[in-house]
Amino acid sequence: MEPKKALIKVTGKQNYGNDDDKIELTTIGTLEETDNEYILSYNEELEPNSAPIKTRLSVRKDEKRVELMRSGGFGSLLIIERSRRNLCTYATEFGDLLMGIYGKNIENEIEEKKGKISFDYDVDINGALTSQNEVTVEFKIN
């Protein structure tokens, strides 16, 4: 399928022990469908004068795997698989972190002109749980 222009809303929730954080991003991007996955691509603008971060979110149709790849000033590739821990590298301005990503739940509800993808995962560094994360991505085809 040819990539289609889409309005994308990303909501991320993080829990760090007793602290909660929530971020929301609404942007224009593209949706592409292959035989096995849905691929959303979009840019994230973090600071007014910084270069955008290119984000590519691939979700398997069988809901077993999500890949979240970010490139730009700092790159990362998070692999989230249900009931499995993967080691992933996350780049920061201070250097790369090696993190464990344990996937808990992956769901997608895709219709012809709109959809919702959600996934939950835990992050650990050196085996110690650092955060519990929930991501919801909603989109509408223009």
Side-chain angles (χ1 to χ4, degrees), residues 65-77:
R65 181 181 175 110
V66 173
E67 288 186 15
L68 180 60
M69 183 169 55
R70 300 172 81 202
S71 60
F74 305 102
S76 63
L77 174 61

Side-chain angles (χ1 to χ4, degrees), residues 54-116:
K54 296 178 182 179
T55 303
R56 182 178 189 270
L57 176 68
S58 304
V59 182
R60 294 232 340 224
K61 290 180 179 179
D62 64 8
E63 300 180 338
K64 289 184 180 178
R65 181 181 175 110
V66 173
E67 288 186 15
L68 180 60
M69 183 169 55
R70 300 172 81 202
S71 60
F74 305 102
S76 63
L77 174 61
L78 301 183
I79 298 171
I80 298 129
E81 293 180 285
R82 187 180 297 167
S83 301
R84 185 165 180 195
R85 181 177 180 263
N86 289 292
L87 290 176
C88 302
T89 302
Y90 188 84
T92 73
E93 60 187 288
F94 306 107
D96 293 348
L97 289 174
L98 184 61
M99 304 183 309
I101 306 295
Y102 181 79
K104 297 193 292 191
N105 191 36
I106 301 169
E107 295 179 6
N108 62 56
E109 302 168 24
I110 310 295
E111 298 176 18
E112 189 174 328
K113 296 280 188 182
K114 66 180 182 174
K116 179 179 172 182

Side-chain angles (χ1 to χ4, degrees), residues 6-142:
L7 177 65
I8 301 169
K9 180 181 178 186
V10 181
T11 305
K13 296 178 184 176
Q14 298 175 322
N15 176 274
Y16 311 92
N18 294 329
D19 295 326
D20 292 321
D21 191 20
K22 180 179 178 179
I23 58 167
E24 291 185 332
L25 167 72
T26 302
T27 188
I28 299 293
T30 60
L31 170 70
E32 184 178 353
E33 182 178 356
T34 69
D35 289 340
N36 299 320
E37 63 187 356
Y38 300 103
I39 302 165
L40 285 165
S41 300
Y42 57 91
N43 288 337
E44 295 179 37
E45 305 278 342
L46 298 179
E47 300 288 331
N49 295 327
S50 66
I53 296 172
K54 296 178 182 179
T55 303
R56 182 178 189 270
L57 176 68
S58 304
V59 182
R60 294 232 340 224
K61 290 180 179 179
D62 64 8
E63 300 180 338
K64 289 184 180 178
R65 181 181 175 110
V66 173
E67 288 186 15
L68 180 60
M69 183 169 55
R70 300 172 81 202
S71 60
F74 305 102
S76 63
L77 174 61
L78 301 183
I79 298 171
I80 298 129
E81 293 180 285
R82 187 180 297 167
S83 301
R84 185 165 180 195
R85 181 177 180 263
N86 289 292
L87 290 176
C88 302
T89 302
Y90 188 84
T92 73
E93 60 187 288
F94 306 107
D96 293 348
L97 289 174
L98 184 61
M99 304 183 309
I101 306 295
Y102 181 79
K104 297 193 292 191
N105 191 36
I106 301 169
E107 295 179 6
N108 62 56
E109 302 168 24
I110 310 295
E111 298 176 18
E112 189 174 328
K113 296 280 188 182
K114 66 180 182 174
K116 179 179 172 182
I117 299 165
S118 58
F119 51 97
D120 303 351
Y121 61 96
D122 292 343
V123 175
D124 69 77
I125 297 176
N126 292 332
L129 180 65
T130 57
S131 68
Q132 297 172 307
N133 304 270
E134 298 176 25
V135 177
T136 303
V137 181
E138 298 173 275
F139 63 87
K140 291 182 184 174
I141 303 295
N142 292 342

